[in-house]
Amino acid sequence: MTPYKHVGSSLDDLLESDGTLEQVEAEALKRVIVWQIEQAMGQTGVNKSQLAQKMHTSRTVVNRLLDEKDTGVTITTLVKAGRALGMTWTLESNGNNGSHEAA
């Protein structure tokens, strides 16, 4: 046995053991969402103020939406942003990936 506790384990195992796996996954997903929204904004020529108007919300909400670290954005806000930019969202699950199987 190696004296190094995490040698041979996965990054997911390490993050799970220190209690940060969910937060890291949420931030990674939020980065992808922000990138997609920013791409759509660029393609449609919509700036933050215009997006806020189209969403019938404030610029502060749009800033939170585009903040990669703010993972507390609601699904309603995502849907509003998508509709305002002509986007649709698709949620997909790959089911149980086997990492938490019961014995």
Side-chain angles (χ1 to χ4, degrees), residues 63-100:
N63 285 334
R64 284 190 61 223
L65 174 66
L66 297 175
D67 179 353
E68 293 179 352
K69 294 285 187 182
D70 188 342
T71 58
V73 67
T74 67
I75 293 173
T76 301
T77 301
L78 288 175
V79 170
K80 283 182 178 182
R83 290 178 65 82
L85 295 166
M87 303 169 66
T88 56
W89 298 104
T90 303
L91 180 64
E92 183 178 317
S93 171
N94 63 356
N96 186 348
N97 65 8
S99 63
H100 302 292

Side-chain angles (χ1 to χ4, degrees), residues 28-52:
L29 180 57
K30 182 70 185 288
R31 275 192 219 80
V32 172
I33 290 168
V34 168
W35 181 82
Q36 290 176 336
I37 291 170
E38 288 174 340
Q39 292 295 305
M41 288 173 68
Q43 290 170 355
T44 59
V46 172
N47 64 32
K48 289 180 183 181
S49 295
Q50 293 167 326
L51 181 57

Side-chain angles (χ1 to χ4, degrees), residues 1-73:
M1 177 123 189
T2 177
Y4 303 104
K5 172 174 151 178
H6 296 294
V7 170
S9 65
S10 72
L11 179 59
D12 284 357
D13 291 338
L14 173 65
L15 295 173
E16 189 169 22
S17 72
D18 73 5
T20 60
L21 179 61
E22 287 85 8
Q23 184 63 31
V24 169
E25 286 179 345
E27 287 179 16
L29 180 57
K30 182 70 185 288
R31 275 192 219 80
V32 172
I33 290 168
V34 168
W35 181 82
Q36 290 176 336
I37 291 170
E38 288 174 340
Q39 292 295 305
M41 288 173 68
Q43 290 170 355
T44 59
V46 172
N47 64 32
K48 289 180 183 181
S49 295
Q50 293 167 326
L51 181 57
Q53 286 179 334
K54 288 176 175 273
M55 291 173 63
H56 306 287
T57 192
S58 68
R59 171 94 185 250
T60 302
V61 170
V62 172
N63 285 334
R64 284 190 61 223
L65 174 66
L66 297 175
D67 179 353
E68 293 179 352
K69 294 285 187 182
D70 188 342
T71 58
V73 67

